[in-house]
Amino acid sequence: MDYIRLPSTLIILLLVFSSDTTWPSCLAVTSAQELLKGFSATPVSSVSSFQPILSDQFGNFSLGFLRLNRNQLALAVIHVASSEPLWSANPIHLASWSQSTRLFFNGSLVISDPETDLLWSTATHDGDRVVLLNTSNLQVQKNGDSGSVIWQSFDFPTNTIVQDQNFTASMALVSLNGLYSMRMGADFMGLYATYTGGSDELYWKRTPLEAKAEIVEGDGPIYARISSDGYLGMYQTSTKPLDVQKFKNFQRPNPLFLMVRTEPDGNLKGYCWDGSTWVLNYQAIDDICELPNPCGSYGLCTPGASECSCLDNRTSYSSPGGCMKEGYGDLCGSGIAEDSYWVLRRRGVEPAHKELMRYEMANSLEKCEGMCEDDCRCWGALYYNATGYCYVVEHPIQTMVGTGVESKVGYFKVRKDARGQRKRVGMVVGIVLGVVVVAAVIGAVSYERRRRRGGGKGMGEEEDRVTSGPYKNLESASFRSIEMSNSH
Ligand SMILES: *[C@@H]1O[C@H](CO)[C@@H](O)[C@H](O)[C@H]1NC(C)=O
Ligand SMILES: *[C@@H]1O[C@H](CO)[C@@H](O)[C@H](O)[C@H]1NC(C)=O
Ligand SMILES: *[C@@H]1O[C@H](CO)[C@@H](O)[C@H](O)[C@H]1NC(C)=O
Ligand SMILES: *[C@@H]1O[C@H](CO)[C@@H](O)[C@H](O)[C@H]1NC(C)=O
Ligand SMILES: *[C@@H]1O[C@H](CO)[C@@H](O)[C@H](O)[C@H]1NC(C)=O
Ligand SMILES: CC(=O)N[C@H]1CO[C@H](CO)[C@@H](O)[C@@H]1O
């Protein structure tokens, strides 16, 4: 047993039980402080939610097997007190919770599962040990002069960054459903929606205010970092921030731990661990109607109203179906007849983030609509005669915002081939749905957990109450939580 270094009492316990693959649950709480070459672990069938493998010096964070959807497995770093996952090696491509799945360290940290064809590794070859730092950063280190770091999870964030973690232009924080991501641009921070077919659209943008430091061209890319002083900062080379997005606890003493996450509804939210619960203390988008798709395809979000409605006033918004099936792909290509769509018009609507959208100038509504009609990549056009702006939508129509200004007119293409659509959408949605089901099951688990705890509040529950109710799409699938195997 020279693979892992443990406090001596634990070593004795482990030696007693190490030949037994189904350890008593009291042993599931023991986890190493360091993994050495030769280490290997497989999931234990009796563990219901999390099997710890490696922890930091204080036991605040733990690397282990996270059990999802009954029989699936993610290798994850969680915050122990809340069971909240902060990082995952394989957030989308899950392994199976079975004996065929193995985590081992041979210089590289490797997780392999022939059943689901998963082979993930740190690709490090000559690492000497794996440690989990007190910041939640998982590192593969090499012996030598200064114990150099050859791989760290902080360089490969999933949907979350924690305080003091550098978020650079080569990274992306992708929501669990795979639809939204936060990324750094050359001189801004942005949120992007990804559409089927792979195209991206920027829907939220934050440009540094440069109050304390200025961007110097040629000084390299900018990056972001959460400061323990309570803000999300952008930096270049100076230690002074180019920009400060304040959290609610800005400069208030003693926030225990901060994180920022891209949520499945497309918002970017910041949370503070106050010792017993995660408190929402920052969000990039405050108004529900400014989110990318709060009412679903062909939906209408009216600021101030408490309900979603539909662009087609003959359709009523009802979850989970929403207004209309999502369109897919484009209306181009052979085999797509000219009459493959019908046109829906609606007055008093506009795109949520029109200031970030491409537009053409048109001197009449007819010209604007004509441009869209002639272009098979166009799904819709929105015209405002007072400015002459014609916004062109080049992806399937999502939620629009109600303005009350009747001279803003929307023109939308709706696919006719409902039958064909159902088939083809089935394939695309199948992929998305897989992820949504994951989120839903996680949501159910977290609900169950809160219920059993006697109604304790989880992250997102209390703060997101405002978004529940009619805004069904916004209900927080965002709260991923699991029950620790050592919590009873
Ligand atoms: C570690 O294991 C992986 C997966 O089996 C293999 O590809 C890799 O070459 C091994 N690395 C070393 C240093 O043996
Ligand atoms: C976290 O670990 C680092 C060394 O890895 C140490 O310098 C620091 O003091 C630790 N943090 C706390 C709060 O003890
Ligand atoms: C983040 O970047 C700063 C400045 O480059 C560096 O000093 C610091 O060590 C980095 N932090 C981590 C956790 O890598
Ligand atoms: C629905 O919209 C059409 C066209 O804009 C309009 O003529 C009709 O009166 C509307 N119906 C209702 C019930 O609002
Ligand atoms: C825009 O259209 C509205 C009616 O649709 C009309 O009353 C108004 O005069 C038009 N404005 C301009 C600048 O053409
Ligand atoms: C973020 C977090 O949970 N921090 C905890 C780490 O452990 C110490 C000591 O147990 C706690 O005081 C911190 O709250």
Side-chain angles (χ1 to χ4, degrees):
M1 284 298 292
D2 55 344
Y3 313 148
I4 23 186
R5 248 171 241 165
L6 288 169
S8 55
T9 48
L10 294 184
I11 290 179
I12 292 161
L13 278 172
L14 270 178
L15 284 175
V16 171
F17 291 101
S18 58
S19 59
D20 185 357
T21 45
T22 51
W23 292 349
S25 61
C26 66
L27 271 189
V29 306
T30 65
S31 64
Q33 297 260 316
E34 180 170 84
L35 308 179
L36 302 177
K37 270 186 195 161
F39 168 83
S40 167
T42 52
V44 174
S45 59
S46 63
V47 168
S48 64
S49 50
F50 186 75
Q51 181 180 334
I53 290 166
L54 177 68
S55 74
D56 74 299
Q57 63 186 124
F58 305 121
N60 280 339
F61 306 105
S62 180
L63 169 77
F65 296 140
L66 181 59
R67 191 165 189 157
L68 301 166
N69 315 325
R70 292 176 165 271
N71 283 315
Q72 291 187 298
L73 177 152
L75 178 67
V77 171
I78 67 163
H79 172 247
V80 172
S82 64
S83 307
E84 194 59 39
L86 301 176
W87 176 81
S88 174
N90 55 325
I92 305 288
H93 189 167
L94 300 172
S96 56
W97 193 280
S98 74
Q99 288 299 308
S100 66
T101 298
R102 199 159 73 93
L103 174 74
F104 59 93
F105 182 57
N106 64 356
S108 192
L109 186 64
V110 181
I111 179 160
S112 80
D113 176 11
E115 240 177 77
T116 63
D117 218 17
L118 172 74
L119 181 68
W120 173 92
S121 92
T122 55
T124 42
H125 309 300
D126 55 354
D128 289 309
R129 79 183 80 76
V130 183
V131 293
L132 186 59
L133 303 189
N134 59 20
T135 53
S136 83
N137 193 3
L138 180 71
Q139 292 188 334
V140 176
Q141 298 177 347
K142 197 169 158 42
N143 289 338
D145 316 342
S146 54
S148 59
V149 178
I150 54 178
W151 180 93
Q152 56 179 0
S153 61
F154 269 18
D155 292 339
F156 304 91
T158 47
N159 62 348
T160 306
I161 50 168
V162 302
Q163 64 189 43
D164 300 327
Q165 176 171 0
N166 293 325
F167 182 79
T168 68
S170 62
M171 304 174 184
L173 287 191
V174 183
S175 64
L176 276 184
N177 55 17
L179 297 178
Y180 308 108
S181 60
M182 194 271 267
R183 300 201 296 261
M184 301 301 295
D187 58 357
F188 66 93
M189 169 189 288
L191 286 168
Y192 295 82
T194 303
Y195 298 100
T196 49
S199 66
D200 270 358
E201 189 179 59
L202 182 67
Y203 62 87
W204 175 85
K205 182 177 179 181
R206 170 83 184 191
T207 306
L209 294 179
E210 305 181 62
K212 294 209 169 109
E214 283 180 14
I215 297 179
V216 180
E217 227 174 292
D219 260 7
I222 64 168
Y223 63 97
R225 184 169 63 220
I226 303 168
S227 162
S228 55
D229 281 342
Y231 62 86
L232 178 57
M234 281 188 252
Y235 302 84
Q236 194 177 26
T237 47
S238 163
T239 53
K240 287 195 184 121
L242 301 165
D243 186 57
V244 167
Q245 293 180 73
K246 292 175 186 174
F247 287 6
K248 277 186 205 149
N249 67 325
F250 181 63
Q251 284 180 341
R252 250 180 273 153
N254 243 347
L256 286 178
F257 191 66
L258 300 167
M259 67 166 169
V260 162
R261 169 172 292 182
T262 307
E263 298 288 8
D265 65 5
N267 212 343
L268 183 71
K269 292 186 177 177
Y271 301 90
C272 167
W273 176 250
D274 72 358
S276 60
T277 181
W278 289 101
V279 179
L280 178 76
N281 63 1
Y282 162 80
Q283 53 186 2
I285 299 173
D286 281 321
D287 187 337
I288 287 165
C289 288
E290 298 292 316
L291 290 172
N293 199 20
C295 302
S297 297
Y298 297 93
L300 179 61
C301 188
T302 308
S306 59
E307 279 188 357
C308 283
S309 56
C310 294
L311 287 175
D312 184 351
N313 63 5
R314 296 162 303 177
T315 316
S316 77
Y317 179 85
S318 63
S319 259
C323 295
M324 236 178 275
K325 269 197 215 97
E326 192 189 345
Y328 58 89
D330 56 30
L331 298 158
C332 305
S334 59
I336 294 180
E338 254 177 42
D339 62 349
S340 60
Y341 63 88
W342 57 278
V343 169
L344 170 65
R345 287 187 179 81
R346 180 73 185 244
R347 294 190 163 272
V349 300
E350 66 181 8
H353 37 88
K354 57 180 189 303
E355 65 287 348
L356 296 173
M357 277 181 70
R358 181 168 85 77
Y359 63 86
E360 306 281 347
M361 296 305 291
N363 52 23
S364 73
L365 174 62
E366 290 69 30
K367 285 235 172 76
C368 177
E369 293 187 352
M371 272 192 260
C372 187
E373 197 181 340
D374 293 344
D375 183 353
C376 64
R377 287 165 310 169
C378 180
W379 280 87
L382 294 110
Y383 186 65
Y384 185 29
N385 67 356
T387 57
Y389 286 7
C390 176
Y391 297 96
V392 181
V393 183
E394 285 180 329
H395 53 75
I397 302 300
Q398 304 204 309
T399 300
M400 295 289 145
V401 178
T403 64
V405 180
E406 287 291 300
S407 52
K408 294 188 175 180
V409 183
Y411 162 98
F412 308 102
K413 294 179 182 173
V414 186
R415 285 196 81 117
K416 265 185 200 166
D417 52 346
R419 218 179 306 155
Q421 180 171 352
R422 205 170 294 136
K423 256 197 221 148
R424 288 185 53 186
V425 166
M427 295 191 318
V428 182
V429 171
I431 300 161
V432 177
L433 212 61
V435 184
V436 173
V437 166
V438 172
V441 171
I442 296 162
V445 171
S446 95
Y447 168 76
E448 178 63 13
R449 172 167 170 270
R450 275 171 282 169
R451 200 179 57 78
R452 273 190 266 161
R453 265 187 180 171
K457 284 190 185 69
M459 175 176 62
E461 190 193 42
E462 180 179 73
E463 307 298 335
D464 281 351
R465 189 164 293 152
V466 59
T467 64
S468 60
Y471 290 98
K472 292 278 197 310
N473 294 19
L474 301 186
E475 279 192 324
S476 71
S478 63
F479 182 59
R480 305 182 71 203
S481 168
I482 49 91
E483 188 159 35
M484 293 281 290
S485 55
N486 61 357
S487 67
H488 33 200

